[in-house]
Amino acid sequence: MFTALFVIVGLLAGCTGGNNNSNTNSSPSPTSSSTNSATETPDGAFPDYSKGFPEKVTLEIPVYERAFEGWNVTDNYYTRWVQKEFGDKYNITVKYVPITRANEVQDFEQLLASRKAPDIIFHYDMPQALNYYGEDVLQELNHDEIANYAPTYWANMSETIKQYGTVEDNQVFFFAARPNADNFTSLIRKDWVEKVGMKVEDLTSLEKYNEMLAKWKEAGLGTAGAGLLMNNYIYSYPFREWPVDPKYRALYSDLGVADLTTADSERFLRNLNYQYNNGLIDKEFYLRDDANKVKAEFVAGKTGTFGVYLTNNLDVISATLANNPEAEFAVVPPTAGVPEGYKPQARAYWPFGFIMGINYESSDEERAAVWMYLEWLSQPENLFFFQNGVEGQNYTLDAEGIAVRNPDFKGESVLSQNNNKDYWGLVTEIAQYDDPEKTRKANLRNWSPVGYEYLAEDLVKYYDQVAEYRTPDALFSVVLEKVNEYKADLNSLFQEQYVKLVLAKPEEFDALYEEAKKQYLQQGYQEILDEKQAAIDAGQFR
């Protein structure tokens, strides 16, 4: 996500596994028993696995591989803890399957095609989740079965599942909770801002931001950071008219397909062209195609902005200080990427985190094991341990019962750099306590790099300030076949065309943009728009 956001203003940051409708492992009715199970159950009941499966079951859970230094996503203190506390208890072998965060869809598609995909297929965004549904790689679900094996999880998420989990009258998706909070932000070299006679608070518009970048260049400090825009298209939001019409939003907002032809995109691209031609952004932004490449430029002191998920064990600050001991940091105001006369629009999250489905090849027992795992993970004591680690090592409890992290702990039970989020994110996006105020305090602690607590405070302050301008993308209730058909080709074409437009001489921009729009529409985007418009006219979105 940060790459897409990063490029907005230079600071923010084919094969399928379809089963051809031949699924033989669809959810059982309450009166059926598992095909391979020897467990006898009374009529009207699901098989009882409370004492464990009679035969060993292998549960395969996907987990993001983010290339955290020194972190093994499939074998660490916490994966072994899960096996000991959950797997061994129920005769389950828990296997974590790494999914590269930057190439998530490609990884899942390859695993599905080779019939090696995990039991859960997940994604954060509904268009891609609908793609998996359209590829026929997900099982139809039985809500009674979920409630039976995962009563706590079902109680927490049943309303969300009932509201959003059905497609074309088929119960397909289940979800993680998403409390209303977000820890993504953009950092800026505060010392650079002040060296050119400005303050971070002066960045009240895109024009002011570009003025600052020009002063950076004149002073020989560096440029704004930037990365190749791909796979996540939310760049045009700050360039849209406000308020945005819901039907316009439904037609042109799509995380998987860029809205290259809109006036919003034109404004975005003209600004990026201006920044590039005036030496205000990383000249080789198109080579920064993953997080570490963008990060490396910031750490080296070549760029002065970087989009990141803020956490208390964030390493980018210490790494930057190692190269630039005088460096100071601040959070970029949300207005810095917004042209004068526009509002700081952004994409609001849907009211759920991970969108999940069950792999069509998973057995009845494996599916039951998924529900049992979500139930185990939903227990407060297990979730708290996963999120905080070992008391007395990773943290201590304060008088309010909030975990206070030990930032210097490097022992065996050390958490991953995003506080193990990629594991417990199956049930919730953000750590929570029983009291909202405690949760807020805990979030601030979890997001506050030691010595830089003000960064988390500013993040929350800005998040609240622009809340009214965040709107969620439309949720279509039908599969958009043309999106599935043209998405990959249009992704590739967009990257080619937008890089060409950014690198173009200003006097060449208009002609190149007209040609780019024409080609984009001809190669599938017009068919996508037509399909979306038909669904909008039919009221098949919300």
Side-chain angles (χ1 to χ4, degrees):
M1 172 179 270
F2 87 86
T3 308
L5 289 170
F6 208 51
V7 176
I8 290 176
V9 289
L11 62 96
L12 302 176
C15 54
T16 74
N19 64 359
N20 298 316
N21 297 310
S22 61
N23 181 10
T24 58
N25 288 317
S26 60
S27 297
S29 68
T31 58
S32 66
S33 60
S34 175
T35 306
N36 301 317
S37 174
T39 305
E40 294 184 3
T41 59
D43 290 342
F46 293 99
D48 182 6
Y49 300 126
S50 61
K51 294 182 172 58
F53 289 91
E55 296 181 11
K56 180 75 72 175
V57 170
T58 298
L59 174 61
E60 295 183 317
I61 303 293
V63 60
Y64 282 140
E65 169 56 81
R66 298 181 188 267
F68 290 146
E69 185 176 354
W71 183 259
N72 185 331
V73 298
T74 62
D75 183 18
N76 55 64
Y77 179 88
Y78 295 95
T79 62
R80 294 189 290 272
W81 166 70
V82 170
Q83 182 59 53
K84 179 174 180 288
E85 297 297 323
F86 169 76
D88 292 350
K89 178 178 179 179
Y90 296 109
N91 198 25
I92 298 171
T93 298
V94 183
K95 178 182 178 182
Y96 289 95
V97 180
I99 302 293
T100 308
R101 185 63 179 105
N103 296 296
E104 173 186 347
V105 175
Q106 179 181 337
D107 283 3
F108 267 122
E109 294 286 16
Q110 289 177 347
L111 288 168
L112 285 163
S114 62
R115 310 188 77 159
K116 296 180 180 178
D119 295 301
I120 292 176
I121 309 297
F122 64 40
H123 198 72
Y124 269 118
D125 305 306
M126 188 59 81
Q128 179 56 41
L130 287 170
N131 286 351
Y132 290 134
Y133 170 80
E135 292 170 5
D136 197 29
V137 297
L138 304 178
Q139 295 188 23
E140 187 172 355
L141 306 179
N142 183 334
H143 289 173
D144 291 337
E145 183 184 62
I146 304 175
N148 177 74
Y149 291 115
T152 305
Y153 169 77
W154 179 251
N156 293 338
M157 297 305 302
S158 59
E159 293 306 312
T160 301
I161 293 171
K162 290 175 182 177
Q163 184 173 358
Y164 297 103
T166 300
V167 183
E168 297 176 338
D169 297 324
N170 297 316
Q171 297 170 353
V172 179
F173 298 124
F174 54 103
F175 305 91
R178 182 184 283 281
N180 187 25
D182 187 17
N183 64 323
F184 183 84
T185 192
S186 291
L187 299 180
I188 192 168
R189 285 288 297 271
K190 180 173 178 286
D191 53 315
W192 286 14
V193 178
E194 294 178 350
K195 280 181 181 178
V196 297
M198 296 181 71
K199 297 180 180 180
V200 174
E201 294 77 17
D202 295 335
L203 304 179
T204 55
S205 68
L206 178 57
E207 288 76 10
K208 280 288 187 182
Y209 175 69
N210 283 339
E211 176 187 333
M212 180 205 68
L213 294 180
K215 291 182 178 181
W216 280 7
K217 178 185 177 183
E218 185 179 350
L221 293 172
T223 68
L228 182 67
L229 182 58
M230 56 183 183
N231 301 329
N232 199 317
Y233 301 112
I234 56 176
Y235 62 82
S236 66
Y237 281 72
F239 297 83
R240 290 178 172 179
E241 301 289 345
W242 178 263
V244 62
D245 179 74
K247 291 184 177 180
Y248 182 91
R249 177 197 65 182
L251 186 61
Y252 289 111
S253 298
D254 194 315
L255 283 165
V257 181
D259 58 312
L260 176 63
T261 63
T262 65
D264 321 315
S265 282
E266 181 178 357
R267 287 186 279 268
F268 164 79
L269 291 166
R270 283 190 186 279
N271 174 69
L272 210 53
N273 176 271
Y274 170 83
Q275 290 178 328
Y276 180 83
N277 279 287
N278 286 277
L280 307 185
I281 61 171
D282 183 351
K283 281 286 188 181
E284 297 185 326
F285 72 92
Y286 48 86
L287 300 179
R288 320 297 182 207
D289 57 359
D290 68 37
N292 288 328
K293 292 177 183 178
V294 181
K295 177 181 175 181
E297 299 300 302
F298 184 77
V299 167
K302 297 178 181 179
T303 60
T305 57
F306 179 61
V308 67
Y309 284 98
L310 203 63
T311 62
N312 56 14
N313 54 1
L314 189 70
D315 66 349
V316 68
I317 290 177
S318 58
T320 303
L321 288 170
N323 293 321
N324 307 275
E326 78 289 353
E328 298 178 13
F329 308 92
V331 171
V332 180
T335 52
V338 183
E340 291 179 0
Y342 289 77
K343 301 298 183 182
Q345 292 189 65
R347 178 181 182 271
Y349 289 119
W350 289 309
F352 44 78
F354 270 133
I355 306 164
M356 297 175 279
I358 298 292
N359 183 346
Y360 78 99
E361 292 198 301
S362 296
S363 68
D364 294 345
E365 290 85 358
E366 289 163 348
R367 187 180 58 253
V370 168
W371 309 139
M372 292 165 67
Y373 179 66
L374 293 180
E375 176 67 12
W376 179 83
L377 191 55
S378 297
Q379 301 310 307
E381 64 275 15
N382 297 329
L383 191 57
F384 190 86
F385 188 88
F386 230 150
Q387 293 170 339
N388 297 283
V390 180
E391 185 175 5
Q393 297 180 15
N394 304 84
Y395 72 95
T396 56
L397 289 176
D398 68 7
E400 296 179 89
I402 299 175
V404 179
R405 299 294 169 86
N406 175 5
D408 299 320
F409 180 72
K410 304 297 182 185
E412 183 184 13
S413 66
V414 66
L415 279 66
S416 75
Q417 285 186 28
N418 64 349
N419 297 324
N420 290 346
K421 159 73 178 304
D422 295 325
Y423 300 91
W424 50 263
L426 293 179
V427 295
T428 184
E429 271 294 295
I430 295 175
Q432 290 180 280
Y433 287 79
D434 52 4
D435 176 67
E437 185 56 33
K438 286 175 64 175
T439 298
R440 186 180 180 89
K441 289 181 180 179
N443 285 342
L444 283 171
R445 292 179 184 179
N446 288 337
W447 298 341
S448 299
V450 177
Y452 296 89
E453 289 77 10
Y454 66 90
L455 294 175
E457 293 170 1
D458 285 347
L459 178 154
V460 172
K461 177 184 70 176
Y462 289 142
Y463 182 85
D464 292 341
Q465 282 180 0
V466 300
E468 65 180 295
Y469 302 114
R470 288 192 300 272
T471 54
D473 290 346
L475 277 172
F476 286 88
S477 57
V478 293
V479 176
L480 299 172
E481 299 290 353
K482 296 302 180 182
V483 172
N484 297 346
E485 181 178 350
Y486 293 115
K487 175 182 174 181
D489 290 342
L490 287 177
N491 267 290
S492 178
L493 179 60
F494 173 80
Q495 287 185 22
E496 172 190 331
Q497 295 289 4
Y498 110 87
V499 171
K500 183 188 295 185
L501 288 164
V502 174
L503 271 55
K505 295 178 181 178
E507 61 270 20
E508 298 173 347
F509 182 90
D510 287 343
L512 287 174
Y513 182 55
E514 289 304 314
E515 180 58 33
K517 288 193 294 183
K518 180 179 178 181
Q519 186 178 359
Y520 199 68
L521 288 165
Q522 289 176 341
Q523 295 201 14
Y525 193 54
Q526 185 62 60
E527 292 188 46
I528 287 177
L529 294 178
D530 292 343
E531 181 183 42
K532 279 191 168 186
Q533 189 62 59
I536 292 168
D537 292 343
Q540 295 171 320
F541 79 103
R542 58 179 178 269

